[in-house]
Amino acid sequence: MSFAGKIAIVTGAGRGIGKAIALDLAAAGCDIVFTNRTKALADQTQAAIEALGRKCLAVQAEASDPAAADGLVKAALERFERIDILVNNAGITKDTLLLRMTPEDWRSVMAVNLDGMFYMTRAVIRTMVRQRSGKIVNLSSVVGFTGNPGQVNYASSKAAIVGFSKSVARELGSRNITCNIVAPGFIATDMTGKLDEAQQKAILDQVPLGRMGTPEDVARAVRFLASEDAAYITGTVLHVNGGMY
């Protein structure tokens, strides 16, 4: 899978899965544009990408701001003149039971996880349509398929990503643009690190492979769908969950 000369945008790449995706694509030959809200984390990701010998543009941007998406694409084109890959990874959780969930808990998760993906995809496809080529990979989640108590907002946003992506795949296939979904299971990140031992055991009891995934497990799946090896795959969900679902 050669990515020499390719330009990839990865949202939410300051840490965890997003950072692993950005580094994996950079190691494969991509120059990287990425977003993150925290400058210190963005600086660390940028240094790691540049240490791989790749060019990098870090942009502090709020995923829920449509103007920020347009500005990011403009900055990417000014620096690199093209965009080959978009990975919509940015996401948040605000977990609580439905009876306690506030409208703000609902809206804020939807604004980042779903609206942010819409803004970024809409901003990028203008360029991809002109190029008549492009790869879009959107991050969903196993809970978008199974549901999860305390995550009505998060699970709903991740389920909606699937319908969005399948529709984009149908709209843009004639322009040689693919749109696919990676749905991680439980991955060892800061988010799952907050779970206590009993909660982690309950999760692992559902996973035939007997372990949580790593951010690198997800990154390799994203890289495949962003490569020419996946040229005839679009509108598809690739589950990375150790057999849990």
Side-chain angles (χ1 to χ4, degrees), residues 102-182:
T102 66
E104 175 56 25
D105 292 333
W106 174 269
R107 285 194 296 264
S108 60
V109 170
M110 288 296 176
V112 174
N113 297 4
L114 188 58
D115 296 351
M117 179 194 61
F118 162 66
Y119 299 143
M120 276 305 309
T121 304
R122 184 182 60 171
V124 162
I125 60 173
R126 298 185 186 103
T127 297
M128 290 183 171
V129 166
R130 286 196 298 269
Q131 294 170 175
R132 297 194 68 85
S133 67
K135 306 284 186 182
I136 301 168
V137 184
N138 296 323
L139 273 288
S140 179
S141 168
V142 66
V143 302
F145 297 84
T146 65
N148 202 35
Q151 288 194 312
V152 166
N153 48 5
Y154 183 75
S156 297
S157 72
K158 292 300 184 177
I161 285 170
V162 177
F164 175 93
S165 303
K166 287 179 176 290
S167 298
V168 170
R170 287 183 172 271
E171 283 193 20
L172 300 179
S174 63
R175 302 302 181 96
N176 195 34
I177 299 168
T178 65
C179 184
N180 290 292
I181 308 105
V182 171

Side-chain angles (χ1 to χ4, degrees), residues 51-83:
L52 293 169
R54 306 315 312 167
K55 296 175 184 175
C56 178
L57 175 62
V59 179
Q60 286 185 270
E62 181 61 54
S64 59
D65 180 5
D70 292 334
L72 172 64
V73 170
K74 181 179 178 182
L77 291 173
E78 287 175 351
R79 175 74 181 275
F80 295 112
E81 298 184 346
R82 62 180 294 113
I83 299 167

